[in-house]
Amino acid sequence: MTTITAAERVSVATAPKSTPIKGSRSSTTTALLMLAPAAVLLVTFLLVPIGLTFGLAFTDARLVSPRPAQFIGADNFVRLFEDETFWKSLRNTIIFAAVIVPVQSACALGLALLVNAKMRGVNFFRTVYFLPVVTSMVVVSMLWLFMYQKNGLINQVLLKFGIEGPDWLGDPKTALLAIILMSAWQAMGFHMVIWLSGLQTIPGELYEAAELDGAGRWEKFRYVTWPGLRATRTFILITITISAFALFTQVNIMTQGGPLDSTSTVVLMAVRTGFQQQQTGYASAISLAFFVLVLAVTLVQRFLTRDKDVR
């Protein structure tokens, strides 16, 4: 058994302690400096507007007014729930989301299955299907605005088959449907790419095993493809729903909410109230109600699509 002498004990006690590495401090400082621009933008354009929305929703603030804003409690929300235009806008928004979510996701999945095949020229079709996504929504809306005219391209094509097309954007019965069709076409390519990325993560061995068991196309899709897209379809469902509730650009360019508020949406009503009518407090109340609605729908979707196997 070895023993430690008194001299060794003194040398250990008087040994200098380890100092922190200077490189770690400089790395931390560099990281904070790189994060600073993003943090400033996040606080300025996200956190501050959210805080102002919560605060102004309970005031009678106006965009340009010599009179300072006054606290009025829940008067804006009482007015909101009695506003017929709000309920029409909410109904149109819900209808748009209820139709666009299954239609757009199903069509995008169909395109993804087509372009996932290994064949000549598949990259060309992927580019063509994705092209509307990289095109500005303003440009797409203006293009379809001309196509939807009474003597536009769509009605001219229908006329070739002996069908007299309606006034798509001028009729309250067809205006919202026209915007739904255009919106589904424009964003379909984006979700096609997401579906495609999910399809390419499914191991090919599973399809080979299904073939050995005598499974057909439908059985492969039902028991291999669809379960393998669990995480992908959850992401697509949530993203499409959020973007559907945020419908604004198409309506603002093509119909301005008409005719007879048949295409008015909650976002359009909030923007019109806040900037055109300059009722900032009331617009904040609309935005806050819209935020609660989207949050509730998203939480319900997340609960319904959760992985039940995870405890």
Side-chain angles (χ1 to χ4, degrees):
M1 181 176 179
T2 59
T3 59
I4 301 176
T5 63
E8 290 176 342
R9 292 175 181 173
V10 172
S11 63
V12 171
T14 58
K17 297 181 179 180
S18 59
T19 58
I21 302 175
K22 295 182 179 180
S24 62
R25 292 183 178 179
S26 61
S27 300
T28 304
T29 304
T30 303
L32 292 176
L33 291 176
M34 295 179 67
L35 287 174
V40 171
L41 292 175
L42 181 67
V43 172
T44 305
F45 296 102
L46 182 62
L47 298 182
V48 172
I50 291 177
L52 288 175
T53 300
F54 275 84
L56 294 176
F58 300 93
T59 67
D60 60 349
R62 298 185 63 87
L63 188 62
V64 179
S65 176
R67 184 174 57 86
Q70 296 181 356
F71 179 79
I72 59 174
D75 290 353
N76 283 329
F77 296 96
V78 174
R79 174 186 172 188
L80 179 64
F81 295 140
E82 295 176 352
D83 194 340
E84 184 178 354
T85 304
F86 170 74
W87 292 110
K88 288 183 179 180
S89 302
L90 181 60
R91 181 199 61 188
N92 295 333
T93 304
I94 293 176
I95 292 175
F96 180 86
V99 176
I100 203 73
V101 170
V103 171
Q104 186 169 295
S105 58
C107 293
L109 177 58
L111 292 179
L113 292 172
L114 290 176
V115 299
N116 191 41
K118 296 181 180 179
M119 55 182 297
R120 179 179 298 179
V122 68
N123 291 330
F124 169 77
F125 289 101
R126 291 180 182 179
T127 304
V128 171
Y129 295 150
F130 190 75
L131 189 60
V133 179
V134 298
T135 306
S136 172
M137 177 59 78
V138 176
V139 176
V140 173
S141 299
M142 294 182 66
L143 175 64
W144 281 74
L145 178 62
F146 290 111
M147 293 173 57
Y148 276 138
Q149 289 181 354
K150 186 64 177 178
N151 57 348
L153 177 61
I154 296 179
N155 283 347
Q156 292 298 324
V157 173
L158 293 177
L159 194 60
K160 296 294 183 180
F161 296 94
I163 302 175
E164 184 177 357
D167 185 4
W168 292 94
L169 299 177
D171 189 347
K173 297 180 181 179
T174 58
L176 185 60
L177 174 62
I179 293 178
I180 290 174
L181 294 176
M182 187 274 291
S183 302
W185 172 84
Q186 191 273 338
M188 198 179 301
F190 173 74
H191 297 98
M192 175 200 71
V193 174
I194 300 177
W195 282 121
L196 184 61
S197 64
L199 289 172
Q200 294 179 350
T201 60
I202 301 176
E205 293 80 3
L206 297 179
Y207 291 103
E208 295 176 0
E211 287 183 0
L212 293 177
D213 291 339
R217 284 186 177 180
W218 170 247
E219 285 78 12
K220 290 180 183 178
F221 176 82
R222 181 179 178 183
Y223 297 107
V224 179
T225 304
W226 189 244
L229 295 174
R230 179 192 297 268
T232 305
R233 66 174 182 259
T234 301
F235 174 78
I236 288 181
L237 179 64
I238 294 176
T239 54
I240 294 180
T241 302
I242 293 176
S243 61
F245 275 101
L247 175 65
F248 170 72
T249 305
Q250 306 94 300
V251 175
N252 188 44
I253 293 176
M254 301 176 70
T255 62
Q256 292 80 45
L260 302 176
D261 293 327
S262 61
T263 58
S264 178
T265 64
V266 178
V267 177
L268 179 68
M269 180 183 176
V271 172
R272 182 186 297 169
T273 303
F275 292 98
Q276 294 183 2
Q277 303 175 7
Q278 299 187 5
Q279 301 178 23
T280 311
Y282 188 44
S284 299
I286 298 174
S287 301
L288 185 57
F290 173 73
F291 168 77
V292 173
L293 172 64
V294 175
L295 179 62
V297 172
T298 303
L299 292 177
V300 170
Q301 286 184 334
R302 189 68 185 90
F303 175 78
L304 295 177
T305 57
R306 73 190 189 283
D307 191 354
K308 298 181 177 60
D309 296 332
V310 178
R311 297 287 179 174

